[in-house]
């Protein structure tokens, strides 16, 4: 590939990343936003996180069926409980890694 193709690719990727973030900022700046809409927006991060995290934990990649007995999901539950209880990111990561290692050996 030539330098021009790489340059156009990087510029295109920058635009594709920048424009969706820029448009709502420009469109919503200076406007009064209804409190119901603001309240709804507070749920967006949790919804996006759930959409990113839950499918790999619950869906069997071979059959595309939901399975509650996947090792990833079984490890995620006590790891989530530990994180909720301890409020420690480092401790939660360590507990999750140890539990995943043990699940790989036992299951």
């Amino acid at each position: 590939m030539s330098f021009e193709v790489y340059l156009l690719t990087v510029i295109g990727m920058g635009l594709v990343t920048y424009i969706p973030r820029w448009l709502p900022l420009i469109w919503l700046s200076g406007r009064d936003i209804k409190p119901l809409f603001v309240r709804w927006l507070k749920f967006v991060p949790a919804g996006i996180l759930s959409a990113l995290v839950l499918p790999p934990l619950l869906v069997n990649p071979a059959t595309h069926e939901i399975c509650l007995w996947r090792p990833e999901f079984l490890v995620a539950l006590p790891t989530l409980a530990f994180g909720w209880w301890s409020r420690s990111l480092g401790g939660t990561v360590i507990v999750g890694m140890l539990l995943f290692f043990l699940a790989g050996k036992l299951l």
Side-chain angles (χ1 to χ4, degrees):
M1 293 178 100
S2 67
F3 176 74
E4 291 82 17
V5 173
Y6 281 122
L7 184 61
L8 287 174
T9 302
V10 170
I11 290 171
M13 289 171 30
L15 288 173
V16 167
T17 301
Y18 182 70
I19 288 174
R21 297 171 189 207
W22 178 73
L23 287 176
L25 182 67
I26 296 301
W27 185 67
L28 292 174
S29 65
R31 294 183 183 207
D32 290 331
I33 301 173
K34 295 182 180 182
L36 180 64
F37 183 64
V38 172
R39 200 170 105 212
W40 176 79
L41 283 175
K42 290 182 181 179
F43 293 108
V44 170
I48 291 173
L49 181 64
S50 299
L52 291 173
V53 171
L54 285 180
L57 293 178
L58 293 174
V59 178
N60 185 344
T63 62
H64 300 292
E65 294 177 342
I66 294 176
C67 178
L68 297 177
W69 299 109
R70 293 197 62 208
E72 293 87 351
F73 182 66
L74 296 175
V75 167
L77 294 176
T79 303
L80 180 66
F82 179 82
W84 188 276
W85 172 76
S86 71
R87 306 279 188 209
S88 168
L89 178 61
T92 304
V93 169
I94 291 171
V95 166
M97 289 172 56
L98 287 173
L99 288 175
F100 194 73
F101 173 76
L102 291 173
K105 293 290 184 186
L106 300 175
L107 299 179

